Amino acid sequence: MAEIKKVRRAINGNKKAFQELMEEEKVRLYKIAYVYMKNEADALEVFHETVYKALVSIGNLKEERYFSTWITRILINNAVDLLRKKKRVIPMERNTLENKAAHYFETERHPELLEAVMELDEKYKEVLILRFYRDLSVKEIAEILDCPEGTLKTKIHRGVGLLRNKLKEDCVNE
């Protein structure tokens, strides 16, 4: 309830309320940006662009309770736009990925899981990150990605299956 009041104040132009909301969201947003961009500089660029766009367009938010979903959608769109703009794929070695991602995820126990997620096609990586790293419901993810829940469930199921097979292969090959 307190968050909804903050969102209302932010919509009405209260910069302090917006700042407080961003303090609550910044770690989660940065994690998602980092997973998409695979480097700190680009993740920060996406994060800053997201904050700016959210600040400018907060008045357009129709449902206060969906602030987190709304800002996540802005972030994902910014990340995808920047990736398209740069048209690049950065293959990362396992050690590099573990070292960089350890700061942002709990990879100490299962670094191979994050690496396997990063290697998936974009459509599976996106839904798995939102489902398991951001801990969003299927309904929330469907709203963020603007796709039917059934399609989303299929992508999650297939993505988990691909992860399972990938991790089995890695265990057998080692």
Side-chain angles (χ1 to χ4, degrees):
M1 192 63 161
E3 182 177 330
I4 290 178
K5 288 181 182 180
K6 275 187 215 171
V7 174
R8 283 187 190 137
R9 289 193 334 257
I11 289 172
N12 292 327
N14 186 324
K15 303 288 190 236
K16 184 168 174 46
F18 182 81
Q19 184 179 4
E20 290 172 7
L21 288 167
M22 291 313 303
E23 280 296 317
E24 295 168 7
E25 293 286 333
K26 72 180 180 183
V27 172
R28 286 178 286 191
L29 291 173
Y30 182 78
K31 286 179 182 180
I32 293 170
Y34 188 85
V35 168
Y36 269 88
M37 305 314 297
K38 299 179 185 77
N39 72 62
E40 190 172 345
D42 288 343
L44 284 171
E45 181 179 341
V46 167
F47 176 76
H48 289 138
E49 183 69 17
T50 299
V51 172
Y52 172 74
K53 285 182 178 179
L55 179 62
V56 169
S57 61
I58 186 89
N60 298 331
L61 179 61
K62 294 180 183 15
E63 293 268 349
E64 294 92 358
R65 65 184 178 176
Y66 293 125
F67 174 78
S68 184
T69 302
W70 174 76
I71 199 160
T72 301
R73 183 176 208 164
I74 292 171
L75 181 111
I76 289 171
N77 289 340
N78 286 336
V80 170
D81 288 347
L82 185 58
L83 287 171
R84 281 189 195 131
K85 182 177 161 185
K86 292 189 174 204
K87 291 184 181 177
R88 63 185 175 134
V89 176
I90 303 173
M92 295 185 97
E93 296 295 323
R94 181 179 185 151
N95 292 339
T96 305
L97 179 63
E98 287 176 6
N99 291 339
K100 290 201 176 257
H103 300 292
Y104 308 107
F105 294 102
E106 293 181 29
T107 58
E108 294 80 27
R109 292 187 313 220
H110 304 289
E112 65 280 353
L113 181 59
L114 180 59
E115 179 181 0
V117 169
M118 301 285 277
E119 292 174 357
L120 292 176
D121 285 345
E122 189 66 31
K123 62 184 177 183
Y124 300 121
K125 177 172 62 172
E126 185 173 56
V127 296
L128 293 178
I129 288 168
L130 292 173
R131 180 70 181 111
F132 299 111
Y133 285 103
R134 184 71 198 269
D135 200 28
L136 295 176
S137 70
V138 171
K139 183 176 181 169
E140 291 170 322
I141 299 169
E143 289 173 9
I144 290 171
L145 300 179
D146 195 28
C147 78
E149 288 182 38
T151 303
L152 189 62
K153 288 177 183 177
T154 301
K155 287 180 181 180
I156 291 171
H157 180 73
R158 288 182 182 163
V160 168
L162 290 169
L163 277 176
R164 190 175 290 127
N165 289 338
K166 174 78 176 133
L167 294 173
K168 278 183 192 175
E169 283 178 18
D170 289 349
C171 289
V172 170
N173 291 337
E174 290 177 4

